[in-house]
Amino acid sequence: MKAGIVGLPNVGKSTLFNCLSNAKAQSANFPFCTIEPNIGVVNVPDSRLEKLEELVKPERVLPATVEIVDIAGLVKGASKGEGLGNQFLANIRETDAILHVLRCFDNDNIVHVDGSVDPIRDKETIDIELQLKDLETVEKKLEKVNRAARTGNKEAAKEKEILDKVKLALEQANNVRSLDLKEEERLQYVKPLQLITDKPVLYVCNVDEGSAKSGNAYVDKVKEFVAQEDAGLLILAVSIEADINELDNFEERKLFLEDLGLEEAGAAKLIRAAYTLLNQQTYFTAGEKEVRAWTIPVGATAPQSAGVIHTDFEKGFIRAEVISYAHYEEYGSEAKVKEAGKMRVEGKEYIVQDGDVMHFRFNV
C-alpha cells in the first residue's frame, strides 16, 4: 500500500519524508527541489510486535510496512501542465492515500511560493488543481456513458446519474471523497476512475516547535475548514522531527520528546495514521523462526488473510487457529494459552480481528 506526501513547494514535504523513511531526499529552500518522486518503505510502529518478540524470542522479526512517496510540489495551473503539474498528477494518481502537508508556521527565512503563510489558501490551491484534473477524467468518461445512455441502456443511465453528481460536485469545488454516495455506487462507478480527490487524505499541519503539542491559530483554521470533509488531521513539527531523527540513542530521543511534552515522535503517529487511513490492520504469526506482522484490509476473512502469506494458503484453506493478542500477552506463550483453553478454531467465514495471532491449516 502506498501513501503520497503532497503540498505546495517549501512546506516541509521532503523533510517529513526523510523523518519517516530515514532516506535522505534532497531538501532545500527553493521550489521544485523534488523532481522525481522519492520512495521509502516505512515500518509501522507496533508495541505488540515488540512484546511478541520478547515472549517468543524468534530468530527474526518482520514488521508491517507502508510505502511512502514524496511527490514534487504543486503550483497553480498544474492541471494544465504548469510547473511539474502533469508529472505530479500522474504520480499522485498511483498512490492509495494522500498525506497533505500544510505550512502552519511563520519563518521569514523560508520562502513561501505565494509570499505569505495561509494554509487554507494553500489547501484550496492544491484542491482546485486536483479537482480540475478529476473533472477532466469524469467528462471524458461521461462522453462515452452519454452515448450508451441515449440508446436506452439502463446500466449506462444509472452510471450517468452518478457521474453527473460527481461532475457537479467537482464544478462546485468539492472533493469527491466528501460526496454522499451509497457504497455500492461509489465502488461500481467512481472507484474505477481512480479520482485523486476520492482518495483518503490526512492533513499534516507542519508547525513550529512551540506549537508541536497543542497547535496554533493556523491549525485551528484548518480544523474548522476540513470539519465537513471525510479526512484526518495531525499536528507535526517537522523540523523537530528532523532533529529527533538525527539522534541515534533511544534515551536521547526520549529526553528530547519529554522536554517538548510529547510522549512519542510525531513521525510514528503519522505512520500509524497512514496505515489506518488506508483501512489496513495487522495480524501476527509467531514462532521460533519468525514473528511477523501481516497487513490485511479491515474486514478480511481468514482465507483472504491466509492468502497474504501465499495464494496456496487461501486456495486450500481448512481452518485457522486463533489467539487474541490480549490472551497471548496475558498468558505469555502459545502453550499456556492452549492450556487455558483460549485458542480458538475458526473457519472460512471468520473475520480476522486486529492483533490476532494465527496459524493456518491448509491442503493443496
Side-chain angles (χ1 to χ4, degrees), residues 149-166:
R150 283 195 291 269
T151 66
N153 185 314
K154 289 183 179 179
E155 180 60 30
K158 178 62 177 176
E159 186 171 8
K160 177 183 178 335
E161 179 190 336
I162 301 304
L163 293 183
D164 280 340
K165 285 183 184 178
V166 174

Side-chain angles (χ1 to χ4, degrees), residues 79 83 102 154 266:
S79 58
L102 296 168
K154 289 183 179 179

Side-chain angles (χ1 to χ4, degrees), residues 251-263:
E251 286 302 321
E252 286 181 355
R253 290 188 179 200
K254 189 177 176 183
L255 288 170
F256 196 126
L257 289 165
E258 285 175 358
D259 287 343
L260 294 171
L262 302 172
E263 292 180 7

Side-chain angles (χ1 to χ4, degrees), residues 25 46 98 117 150 163 173 217 256-257 259 277 303 311 336 340:
D46 195 326
I98 297 169
V117 178
R150 283 195 291 269
L163 293 183
F256 196 126
L257 289 165
D259 287 343
L277 191 69
T311 52
K336 288 181 180 177

Side-chain angles (χ1 to χ4, degrees), residues 176-337:
V176 176
R177 76 180 69 87
S178 61
L179 191 57
D180 185 21
L181 292 173
K182 293 177 182 176
E183 188 61 26
E184 59 268 25
E185 293 173 342
R186 191 177 288 277
L187 285 172
Q188 188 169 352
Y189 304 116
V190 181
K191 288 293 181 187
L193 297 178
Q194 291 187 292
L195 300 176
I196 302 171
T197 67
D198 190 40
K199 296 179 187 293
V201 64
L202 175 71
Y203 292 107
V204 181
C205 293
N206 183 11
V207 299
D208 57 274
E209 179 179 334
S211 306
K213 189 173 183 180
S214 305
N216 55 30
Y218 290 130
V219 175
D220 292 341
K221 286 180 181 177
V222 175
K223 283 181 179 177
E224 184 180 348
F225 196 75
V226 305
Q228 302 306 314
E229 194 174 338
D230 184 18
L233 185 142
L234 187 71
I235 301 167
L236 210 63
V238 174
S239 63
I240 298 303
E241 296 296 322
D243 291 341
I244 293 170
N245 209 45
E246 293 298 320
L247 300 173
D248 295 325
N249 185 288
F250 174 78
E251 286 302 321
E252 286 181 355
R253 290 188 179 200
K254 189 177 176 183
L255 288 170
F256 196 126
L257 289 165
E258 285 175 358
D259 287 343
L260 294 171
L262 302 172
E263 292 180 7
E264 67 172 340
K269 290 181 185 175
L270 188 143
I271 295 163
R272 282 200 302 273
Y275 195 65
T276 303
L277 191 69
L278 291 162
N279 203 34
Q280 300 297 294
Q281 64 180 14
T282 300
Y283 77 86
F284 303 102
T285 51
E288 290 180 4
K289 291 282 186 186
E290 176 183 280
V291 167
R292 183 164 182 167
W294 298 90
T295 298
I296 55 170
V298 173
T301 63
Q304 288 168 340
S305 302
V308 173
I309 299 175
H310 197 288
T311 52
D312 285 349
F313 283 33
E314 182 173 4
K315 290 174 186 172
F317 179 89
I318 299 170
R319 66 178 183 275
E321 295 169 359
V322 184
I323 303 170
S324 72
Y325 172 77
H327 285 143
Y328 209 113
E329 184 180 33
E330 179 183 352
Y331 293 99
S333 73
E334 184 176 312
K336 288 181 180 177
V337 170

Side-chain angles (χ1 to χ4, degrees), residues 130-168:
L130 301 185
Q131 288 158 4
L132 286 170
K133 200 65 181 178
D134 279 351
L135 187 58
E136 185 182 300
T137 302
V138 172
E139 285 175 340
K140 283 181 182 176
K141 181 66 175 177
L142 269 171
E143 286 177 14
K144 298 177 182 176
V145 173
N146 285 336
R147 284 197 293 270
R150 283 195 291 269
T151 66
N153 185 314
K154 289 183 179 179
E155 180 60 30
K158 178 62 177 176
E159 186 171 8
K160 177 183 178 335
E161 179 190 336
I162 301 304
L163 293 183
D164 280 340
K165 285 183 184 178
V166 174
K167 181 173 181 283
L168 180 62

